[in-house]
Amino acid sequence: METEILLEINHIGKAFDGLSVLKDISLSVKKGEAVSVIGPSGSGKSTLLRCATLLERMDAGELIYLGEKAAWEEDGKCVYAGKNKLKEIRKNFGLVFQNFNLFPHYSVLKNITDAPICTAGVPKKEAREKALALLDQLGLADKADAYPYQLSGGQQQRVSIARALALSPKILFFDEPTSALDPELTGEVLRVIRALAAEHMTMIIVTHEMQFARELSDRIIFMEQGVIQAQGTPEEIFETENERVREFIGKYRIS
């Protein structure tokens, strides 16, 4: 049986103040696939994620979740589905930010249960039970009543992962999930992402952690100057003859 395609991005373009940041980007992601997006700063990686998660409006192209069009081109312009349709489409994905984006005045438990209760209409008891189970799974069972300022960066990022998982997304996006953390705390978060990969969670991860991308990914995409310059399996990318890719990940290549 053919693997279900959860996300399709076709020929998307995005510019800021006349500067083209994404240029004709196309990719698709299958159910259960872990895709890492790597490349130098300013290559368009985070903008790609923001367009895919409807935080930025594309200037051109097509965005499709599970066969449902979120955006498409019409008369040379990019148009979006209606508000209700987009609300339904948003239920398909979760997003983990690099700076956690937790509500400082909410407890850990409320940070996780707020969206399921307020936007998805999940009963309070059910939302609480799921949140507590996620905290237990992520090694934070004793932090339900704590506030973000009482947690380490690694713990805050794990809470933000729990918050994204609370809505049972089909795809999880990570935007540099360890860039705000020191090496020790980075390990905590990467262990959680590895565990999700082992459960075949569909993930798209923008990362600078090359060794992690190599170990975890089914596919790696290398972006530069708003274009996908290369993509393939970790073996193909790390053993590539493409000079620019080799230069970027050179210190990780097997000699």
Side-chain angles (χ1 to χ4, degrees):
M1 196 174 87
E2 202 169 298
T3 308
E4 183 183 9
I5 292 176
L6 299 188
L7 170 66
E8 290 176 73
I9 290 171
N10 297 318
H11 307 294
I12 73 170
K14 176 67 182 174
F16 293 103
D17 300 324
L19 180 68
S20 189
V21 178
L22 297 177
K23 306 166 188 172
D24 195 25
I25 297 265
S26 295
L27 65 99
S28 62
V29 179
K30 293 176 180 174
K31 186 177 181 180
E33 195 176 20
V35 179
S36 289
V37 184
I38 65 171
S41 295
S43 58
K45 305 183 301 294
S46 290
T47 302
L48 175 63
L49 239 62
R50 290 179 66 82
C51 286
T53 55
L54 303 170
L55 291 173
E56 292 282 0
R57 290 183 76 89
M58 308 179 313
D59 299 326
E62 192 176 51
L63 180 63
I64 305 169
Y65 277 95
L66 283 77
E68 296 283 337
K69 286 190 180 184
W72 60 93
E73 276 199 50
E74 212 170 85
D75 299 327
K77 288 198 299 189
C78 194
V79 296
Y80 279 75
K83 191 177 173 182
N84 291 339
K85 182 74 170 285
L86 289 180
K87 187 179 177 183
E88 287 302 306
I89 285 172
R90 280 191 177 92
K91 291 178 182 176
N92 291 313
F93 60 80
L95 176 59
V96 177
F97 299 90
Q98 63 187 73
N99 293 319
F100 325 134
N101 284 29
L102 298 174
F103 294 112
H105 55 295
Y106 284 1
S107 69
V108 164
L109 189 63
K110 187 165 170 57
N111 261 288
I112 297 169
T113 59
D114 190 58
I117 292 167
C118 298
T119 64
V122 175
K124 283 185 181 180
K125 183 172 182 287
E126 187 184 321
R128 179 184 169 84
E129 285 172 359
K130 176 153 191 179
L132 291 173
L134 284 167
L135 286 173
D136 187 47
Q137 181 187 336
L138 299 183
L140 295 166
D142 59 337
K143 301 296 183 186
D145 297 323
Y147 285 81
Y149 77 90
Q150 296 172 308
L151 305 178
S152 70
Q155 289 170 333
Q156 288 187 61
Q157 191 60 294
R158 281 184 280 158
V159 171
S160 71
I161 292 170
R163 179 180 60 184
L165 290 170
L167 288 163
S168 303
K170 293 187 170 64
I171 305 179
L172 210 48
F173 291 90
F174 293 88
D175 187 9
E176 297 282 6
T178 59
S179 67
L181 305 176
D182 65 38
E184 192 175 346
L185 299 179
T186 291
E188 286 178 23
V189 173
L190 297 185
R191 274 193 295 277
V192 169
I193 300 174
R194 281 193 184 95
L196 292 171
E199 295 168 9
H200 305 292
M201 179 79 203
T202 309
M203 296 185 287
I204 300 174
I205 308 157
V206 169
T207 184
H208 278 115
E209 299 283 341
M210 292 301 112
Q211 194 59 38
F212 169 72
R214 181 176 194 167
E215 292 167 12
L216 176 105
S217 309
D218 296 301
R219 184 156 46 108
I220 296 176
I221 290 170
F222 176 79
M223 282 184 70
E224 188 168 45
Q225 297 179 336
V227 176
I228 293 175
Q229 301 280 5
Q231 64 176 307
T233 65
E235 292 76 18
E236 287 167 344
I237 292 297
F238 277 78
E239 294 300 318
T240 183
E241 295 304 311
N242 181 311
E243 280 190 28
R244 180 62 191 107
V245 181
R246 284 175 65 173
E247 182 189 344
F248 182 75
I249 58 174
K251 60 179 179 285
Y252 295 100
R253 286 186 80 247
I254 296 169
S255 57

